[in-house]
């Protein structure tokens, strides 16, 4: 009886451990866009996995790039700004607008980028193109949440559908 229990335990453990070998890494970013009517701006917070964006910055700009918060390579903000400007675009009420990179911080395995679009007097429609990391990871998905007052709408953008439009009522 003891041998059967031991065999069952070993079988369950081997199945559990082997499932880790087939685990697939999930490539995703989450971007939150909040319309601040009082400040007439779109406040944007984008969360991306540090290891993914570090790999991209190494491939595109400098293979010695290090995103360790204690030993960050010089030029990271500059390269991140250039990259985000190429891959993240906004059209507000039919007009293409640009954002300002305000800064970033690290939180566990994420890098959090803060962006802002100023002089947005109203928000009726917003078109968002988010191709962040899609040039490096085929399976990349970029989730975008947009909030205006008590209205909240979301998009899931991927390689074949990297542009979405949201409409808001008054």
């Amino acid at each position: 009886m003891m041998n059967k229990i031991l065999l069952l335990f070993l079988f369950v453990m081997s199945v559990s451990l082997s499932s880790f070998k087939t685990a697939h890494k999930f490539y995703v970013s989450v971007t939150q866009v909040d319309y601040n009517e009082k400040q007439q701006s779109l406040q944007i917070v984008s969360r991306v996995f540090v290891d993914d964006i570090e790999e991209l910055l190494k491939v595109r700009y400098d293979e010695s790039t290090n995103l360790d918060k204690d030993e960050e390579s010089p030029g990271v903000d500059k390269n991140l700004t250039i990259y985000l400007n190429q891959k993240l675009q906004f059209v507000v009420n039919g007009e293409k607008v640009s954002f300002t990179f305000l800064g970033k911080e690290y939180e566990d395995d994420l890098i959090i980028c803060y962006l802002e679009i100023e002089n947005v007097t109203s928000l009726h429609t917003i078109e968002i193109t988010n191709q962040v990391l899609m040039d490096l990871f085929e399976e990349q998905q970029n989730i975008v949440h947009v909030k205006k007052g008590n209205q909240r709408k979301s998009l899931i953008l991927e390689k074949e559908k990297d542009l979405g439009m949201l409409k808001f009522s008054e």
Side-chain angles (χ1 to χ4, degrees):
M1 180 68 174
M2 188 61 138
N3 284 343
K4 287 183 179 180
I5 293 172
L6 183 60
L7 282 172
L8 179 62
F9 175 75
L10 290 173
F11 174 75
V12 169
M13 287 304 293
S14 68
V15 168
S16 297
L17 292 175
S18 69
S19 67
F20 286 113
K21 293 178 188 171
T22 60
H24 177 70
K25 184 162 170 29
F26 192 64
Y27 298 99
V28 67
S29 77
V30 178
T31 299
Q32 175 71 42
V33 180
D34 289 323
Y35 176 58
N36 185 322
E37 190 172 12
K38 192 175 188 175
Q39 293 183 5
Q40 295 189 341
S41 69
L42 292 175
Q43 297 166 348
I44 305 160
V45 178
S46 191
R47 291 173 169 79
V48 183
F49 285 109
V50 170
D51 58 337
D52 294 341
I53 198 71
E54 181 179 65
E55 186 176 338
L56 181 122
L57 293 175
K58 284 180 178 183
V59 168
R60 275 197 153 217
Y61 302 104
D62 181 355
E63 62 184 46
S64 68
T65 298
N66 181 359
L67 293 187
D68 182 321
K69 64 182 170 186
D70 298 323
E71 299 176 25
E72 183 181 274
S73 301
V76 166
D77 283 4
K78 177 183 156 229
N79 291 339
L80 205 49
T81 301
I82 291 168
Y83 181 74
L84 290 175
N85 272 299
Q86 292 170 349
K87 299 298 179 178
L88 193 57
Q89 297 166 6
F90 299 89
V91 176
V92 177
N93 305 325
E95 183 180 327
K96 187 173 181 176
V97 293
S98 56
F99 59 81
T100 303
F101 179 84
L102 301 176
K104 67 176 179 342
E105 65 181 331
Y106 296 95
E107 183 180 284
D108 300 322
D109 57 351
L110 297 174
I111 188 168
I112 304 169
C113 298
Y114 298 97
L115 317 170
E116 184 176 37
I117 299 170
E118 296 180 302
N119 303 315
V120 180
T121 55
S122 64
L123 179 62
H124 305 292
T125 63
I126 185 168
E127 284 181 49
I128 301 167
T129 302
N130 189 339
Q131 301 169 332
V132 171
L133 295 173
M134 289 181 185
D135 46 345
L136 191 62
F137 303 113
E138 194 72 29
E139 311 84 11
Q140 179 71 29
Q141 291 187 325
N142 296 322
I143 300 167
V144 180
H145 303 294
V146 181
K147 187 175 178 202
K148 175 189 175 188
N150 60 4
Q151 300 174 72
R152 181 183 161 119
K153 300 185 179 197
S154 299
L155 299 166
I156 298 177
L157 303 174
E158 46 198 17
K159 193 152 188 127
E160 300 302 319
K161 185 187 173 287
D162 60 15
L163 167 69
M165 177 189 249
L166 298 172
K167 295 180 181 184
F168 291 90
S169 57
E170 287 301 314

